[in-house]
Amino acid sequence: MSESEPADLEKFREQTRAWLEANCPPEMRKPVTSDTDVFWGGRNTKFASEPQRIWFERMRDKGWTVPDWPREYGGGGLSAAEHKVLRAEMARMGARPPLSSFGIWMLGPALLKYGNEAQKKEHLPDIAAGLIRWCQGYSEPNAGSDLASLQTRAESDGDDFVITGSKIWTSYADYADWIFCLVRTDPTAKKHDGISFILFDMASKGVTTKPILLISGYSPFCETFFDGVRVPKSHVVGTVNRGWDVAKYLLQHERAMISGMGERGVGRPLGQIAADSVGTDAQGKLDDSMLRGRIASFDVDEAALAACAERAVDLAKAGQAHPAFSSAMKYYGTELNKRRHEILMSAGGVNALEWESERSRQGARPRAWLRTKANSIEGGTTEVMLGIVAKRILDLPGA
Amino acid sequence: MALVLTEEQSMLRDSARGLISDKAPVSHLRSLRDNKDPTGFSKELWHSFAEMGFAGLLVPEEFGGSGLGFVEAGVVMEEIGRTLMPSPFLATSVVAASALNRGGNAAQKSEFLPKISNGSLLATLAIDEGAKHRPLQTSLQAVRAGNGFKLSGAKALVVDGHVADLFIVAARTAGAAGEREGLTLFLVNPKAKGVAIERTIMVDAHNAARIELANVEVNADSVLGEVDQGAALLDGVLDIGRGAVAAEMVGLSEEVFNRTVEYLKNRKQFGKLIGEFQALQHRAAELYVDIEITRAATMKALQALDADVAKAASSVAVAKARAGTTATRAVQEGVQMHGGMGMTDQFDIGFFMKRARVCEELFGDANYHTEQLARARGY
């Protein structure tokens, strides 16, 4: 659908398209199929390829690793409308994101809202430039989605906090340079009231990590242990004991990010993938009518969800969005992504079962399928999301 | 375009909601049903509707209408869905007005559109013949005779068929059932010789008729659009109708959902409000998300129709398929969560279940539209 745009936005679109065409290497216009297809940044980082480096550096120099952040913090300073244009133009050409990071998706927005000027100046430009890779210290053993029951404690000692405890499901902690972490600074306060949000270097004395092997054969998550880690109090974001506000705000971004995972770099339409694999009948229809029906239903729901995601942004701009709506999107987006991968496995048949071979790119499809099963657990389970919708949006009575 | 209502559209919604909730709550439909009302809707209310500009909402200003778009028509349909008000709006003001607007010549437009605008003429599209919506399966025959045609065949589920002043009849002037070529739309006077009309009392107590045409003579001026080339015109008109019915189903779904959530907050069992039970909370939350997603898909489809009817087919298929599935779920959960009360005629919930079933069949059910999407995407 064509929409009428102000003249300057139309001009921005033309310029953006021309710049992307000239600067995005052809290799960076292919779907993302594995973790190494994306650059994650950090101190120990290596580029997977020369085109990946070129693409990242050109985008970084324009501030387009974080297009909507202010320029003074390494961002592109784009308005919401311009950012939407840039995203649309990148999607149009199938351009990969130049940099993926929890710093961009989660910590950055929280720092922009709750950080003091010194913290913003110290951390945001390094995130934008891919210099520091962040991980998230939220979940703890035995806590899971019951996040506020965390036990890791930070005890005051002069100008420092001394942190002791452990975290679990810390994504890529073994690669991360810094952590944003929830700690209990007041054990006597009510569950949500004694928590602080603090930042520290993973190279600090007393920090250790241990990868967790998953059913996919990968170890994207770690256990993380803190044994008397000394952190300056100036590293607390927001107010001491009011970290829950920051945590909740950040979770909204995390949920929005996870609900969008299904849209990222999936490549060809499911119906085409299935037709190539299963074959077609004399009328050109997929030669497995039940599978065809499942794909078609999936396509209906996916198109409808995309409309809803678009509407969620428009509602936010119009000041009509419900703050808990990201939970609704997270629930549906992750369940849909699991459906997509079940269909992909079904379409691939025997060929999708290979785990270790060049042909299967080391079992990319079954590993991705297994990975998606975490979507409805991480960042708050589907059940927790539905509970939030029930209580906060529908106002149903609490138990 | 943003997927939220503009200020003007919100004002239109408020005025439609005011009139409809005031004059035609569900009890209005109940009373028409119980009294076996011969018209099946309130003429008085229809005139108020016309005076407020709703009857001619889609009619261009030069023919006395308001010249608004499909998003606005959807806004009104959604309000109709909330109270299940029986009204000629869908058949006359949305479908027939669009058919005349898009396919009519100057004479046809200036004869019929002003009367649709002022509420004095009711018109309807006669399309389906078999049990399911299959536009290309049209087999009602139109044979050339003298200066005109003779029409013979039958149509099922003609909305407002027994009160309409004008039928727009899909007929086959060439080819065989199933083919795209050879379809033609005709304007037929219901009072013409050879027309037999049977009002069918349907499950939802809304108006529909079966009609039979036996050698009904029409002249050449009665052709709407081009002879044999009716399929493209029909595609557009049906998509407009589908978008409108999807909007009605969004309104219906949301209303039945709101009533159900209210019930969950008030009904006690086992010493607790039943809304405290997690099993019900989660089902309610899932349904809420379903309705929100369907609302967005429906707005998207209506905006796509406003931008270019000929390019809106896939968006419309998504919306109608989603709306059918979501409305079905909403009414089923509505009855289930209301328990035994939901099964009683005295309670309103059942009316929503019945209307949802009819809306699902109207202009193609969820299976039909899911199939259309698969075909459009080439697998």
Side-chain angles (χ1 to χ4, degrees):
Chain A
M1 189 176 69
S2 73
E3 50 187 88
S4 59
E5 282 179 353
D8 51 343
L9 201 58
E10 188 53 51
K11 195 171 165 210
F12 177 78
R13 183 184 293 277
E14 280 168 28
Q15 287 170 346
T16 300
R17 183 175 299 186
W19 188 88
L20 290 171
E21 284 295 346
N23 287 283
C24 183
E27 296 87 345
M28 295 294 107
R29 303 184 192 189
K30 292 176 184 163
V32 172
T33 56
S34 78
D35 259 8
T36 57
D37 287 346
V38 195
F39 179 60
W40 284 83
R43 285 174 194 149
N44 307 311
T45 193
K46 272 193 279 192
F47 291 99
S49 68
E50 192 59 9
Q52 191 183 66
R53 182 186 67 77
I54 292 169
W55 176 227
F56 164 74
E57 287 179 356
R58 287 175 180 167
M59 288 291 274
R60 176 199 61 196
D61 292 347
K62 274 186 93 71
W64 283 3
T65 53
V66 282
D68 57 341
W69 290 10
R71 284 190 170 279
E72 55 186 310
Y73 304 130
L78 299 189
S79 69
E82 288 168 333
H83 191 198
K84 196 172 173 180
V85 167
L86 173 60
R87 280 202 309 265
E89 288 302 315
M90 285 178 67
R92 195 185 64 83
M93 68 192 310
R96 289 179 183 173
L99 175 66
S100 288
S101 102
F102 300 129
I104 295 176
W105 298 320
M106 288 143 67
L107 178 63
L111 272 183
L112 282 167
K113 187 170 169 73
Y114 290 99
N116 59 39
E117 194 54 34
Q119 290 167 338
K120 289 182 195 177
K121 282 253 159 61
E122 181 182 356
H123 298 296
L124 293 174
D126 285 357
I127 292 171
L131 295 174
I132 295 293
R133 183 168 176 171
W134 287 85
C135 64
Q136 178 194 48
Y138 269 33
S139 294
E140 295 192 3
N142 306 317
S145 291
D146 184 11
L147 196 54
S149 68
L150 60 91
Q151 299 296 322
T152 293
R153 60 182 198 280
E155 282 161 349
S156 177
D157 184 10
D159 289 341
D160 295 343
F161 280 118
V162 177
I163 300 173
T164 305
S166 70
K167 297 284 175 181
I168 194 167
W169 312 122
T170 328
S171 301
Y172 305 116
D174 46 346
Y175 295 101
D177 305 310
W178 276 64
I179 186 167
F180 48 96
C181 197
L182 291 179
V183 293
R184 191 159 291 289
T185 33
D186 182 357
T188 62
K190 276 199 300 180
K191 204 172 163 187
H192 293 87
D193 292 344
I195 295 173
S196 299
F197 186 100
I198 195 164
L199 315 175
F200 57 92
D201 195 321
M202 290 291 278
S204 309
K205 190 164 173 285
V207 178
T208 49
T209 62
K210 189 173 128 197
I212 304 167
L213 185 65
L214 296 187
I215 53 177
S216 62
Y218 293 133
S219 306
F221 300 115
C222 293
E223 286 181 273
T224 308
F225 305 93
F226 311 127
D227 182 13
V229 182
R230 193 163 274 280
V231 181
K233 285 180 177 170
S234 62
H235 287 197
V236 169
V237 177
T239 313
V240 172
N241 292 333
R242 300 288 302 167
W244 191 246
D245 298 340
V246 187
K248 262 195 319 189
Y249 181 76
L250 187 149
L251 275 174
Q252 284 173 25
H253 285 268
E254 179 178 14
R255 283 165 190 165
M257 185 267 287
I258 295 175
S259 77
M261 288 208 316
E263 299 158 32
R264 278 209 323 251
V266 253
R268 303 172 61 230
L270 277 184
Q272 302 300 327
I273 294 171
D276 285 353
S277 171
V278 177
T280 50
D281 66 13
Q283 279 95 46
K285 288 187 190 175
L286 190 62
D287 202 5
D288 179 337
S289 60
M290 295 297 285
L291 177 62
R292 181 172 178 271
R294 276 169 69 201
I295 293 174
S297 293
F298 173 87
D299 281 353
V300 166
D301 290 342
E302 190 190 42
L305 178 68
C308 194
E310 190 182 332
R311 181 167 142 84
V313 173
D314 295 336
L315 282 170
K317 276 189 213 156
Q320 296 171 24
H322 193 290
F325 196 70
S326 62
S327 295
M329 296 294 287
K330 198 270 178 187
Y331 142 69
Y332 200 87
T334 56
E335 294 298 331
L336 197 65
N337 201 39
K338 289 198 295 182
R339 248 168 89 193
R340 170 198 292 283
H341 283 265
E342 285 296 337
I343 290 171
L344 276 168
M345 287 301 286
S346 183
V350 171
N351 295 328
L353 303 177
E354 283 194 34
W355 188 252
E356 287 181 7
S357 68
E358 278 298 314
R359 197 171 36 242
S360 67
R361 289 178 296 114
Q362 300 308 320
R365 194 178 287 190
R367 289 174 200 266
W369 162 66
L370 290 163
R371 173 66 184 85
T372 62
K373 299 305 175 196
N375 293 166
S376 50
I377 302 169
E378 61 202 340
T381 62
T382 281
E383 289 69 25
V384 167
M385 295 304 107
L386 292 174
I388 290 172
V389 170
K391 292 195 178 67
R392 294 192 49 207
I393 299 183
L394 303 180
D395 202 23
L396 287 170
Chain B
M1 193 174 303
L3 285 170
V4 288
L5 294 183
T6 64
E7 202 168 320
E8 289 80 9
Q9 288 161 350
S10 300
M11 284 165 62
L12 178 76
R13 178 195 59 199
D14 293 345
S15 72
R17 185 175 295 182
L19 177 70
I20 291 169
S21 63
D22 185 34
K23 302 285 186 193
V26 180
S27 57
H28 174 72
L29 170 63
R30 179 187 291 277
S31 131
L32 290 166
R33 180 197 69 171
D34 291 348
N35 297 323
K36 300 195 186 309
D37 187 277
T39 313
F41 67 92
S42 159
K43 286 183 175 169
E44 189 193 347
L45 195 52
W46 180 240
H47 288 303
S48 311
F49 232 61
E51 276 164 23
M52 289 177 74
F54 294 134
L57 190 143
L58 290 171
V59 173
E61 290 177 55
E62 56 179 311
F63 299 112
S66 339
L68 294 173
F70 301 116
V71 171
E72 284 83 359
V75 162
V76 175
M77 285 300 293
E78 191 179 320
E79 296 309 315
I80 287 174
R82 283 178 201 282
T83 73
L84 308 174
M85 175 179 82
S87 150
F89 183 75
L90 173 67
T92 297
S93 304
V94 178
V95 178
S98 296
L100 287 159
N101 219 358
R102 296 174 64 76
N105 57 37
Q108 290 166 337
K109 286 186 185 183
S110 51
E111 181 179 356
F112 296 114
L113 287 176
K115 292 181 188 161
I116 287 181
S117 286
N118 68 25
S120 64
L121 178 114
L122 302 183
T124 186
L125 178 71
I127 169 85
D128 288 328
E129 299 176 6
K132 302 297 281 186
H133 177 68
R134 297 285 182 271
L136 297 185
Q137 291 296 334
T138 295
S139 65
L140 187 143
Q141 289 289 322
V143 184
R144 280 187 193 273
N147 182 33
F149 295 82
K150 275 189 179 174
L151 275 53
S152 294
K155 297 284 185 185
L157 190 66
V158 180
V159 177
D160 294 334
H162 76 296
V163 286
D165 307 299
L166 178 70
F167 292 157
I168 300 170
V169 178
R172 194 157 280 288
T173 36
E179 290 175 12
R180 205 175 149 74
E181 292 292 306
L183 289 176
T184 307
L185 294 182
F186 289 95
L187 301 177
V188 177
N189 184 342
K191 297 195 171 68
K193 190 163 170 273
V195 178
I197 301 167
E198 177 203 349
R199 180 186 183 186
T200 49
I201 303 292
M202 291 199 304
V203 63
D204 68 338
H206 279 54
N207 280 339
R210 291 181 183 274
I211 64 172
E212 273 186 47
L213 309 184
N215 287 313
V216 175
E217 293 181 25
V218 297
N219 61 31
D221 295 344
S222 304
V223 172
L224 188 67
E226 303 288 323
V227 174
D228 289 348
Q229 306 298 316
L233 174 59
L234 200 53
D235 283 345
V237 171
L238 286 170
D239 275 344
I240 290 163
R242 289 160 182 151
V245 176
E248 180 178 351
M249 283 195 278
V250 168
L252 177 164
S253 302
E254 193 163 88
E255 177 64 22
V256 83
F257 178 69
N258 289 343
R259 288 170 182 235
T260 305
V261 169
E262 273 313 296
Y263 189 73
L264 295 180
K265 289 177 186 173
N266 289 301
R267 167 80 169 147
K268 277 193 169 173
Q269 271 191 323
F270 308 106
K272 278 181 165 182
L273 292 169
I274 61 174
E276 290 179 51
F277 294 118
Q278 196 178 52
L280 297 187
Q281 287 192 346
H282 286 191
R283 273 162 55 190
E286 285 175 0
L287 183 52
Y288 162 81
V289 177
D290 256 357
I291 293 170
E292 284 301 307
I293 289 172
T294 304
R295 168 182 295 285
T298 301
M299 282 187 93
K300 189 92 185 159
L302 293 166
Q303 287 187 357
L305 286 165
D306 276 329
D308 186 349
V309 170
K311 290 182 184 162
S314 286
S315 306
V316 169
V318 168
K320 183 67 169 67
R322 275 291 309 195
T325 309
T326 300
T328 300
R329 185 176 188 178
V331 295
Q332 286 174 351
E333 290 287 49
V335 169
Q336 180 67 23
M337 292 189 190
H338 277 88
M341 286 303 293
M343 291 300 296
T344 63
D345 183 70
Q346 177 203 341
F347 215 67
D348 284 344
I349 289 287
F351 282 78
F352 288 91
M353 176 166 278
K354 293 166 182 174
R355 182 62 187 158
R357 188 86 277 286
V358 173
C359 287
E360 168 68 333
E361 293 303 323
L362 209 49
F363 305 133
D365 63 10
N367 286 348
Y368 176 88
H369 290 292
T370 305
E371 168 71 28
Q372 294 304 306
L373 189 70
R375 285 185 189 207
R377 295 191 171 186
Y379 59 86

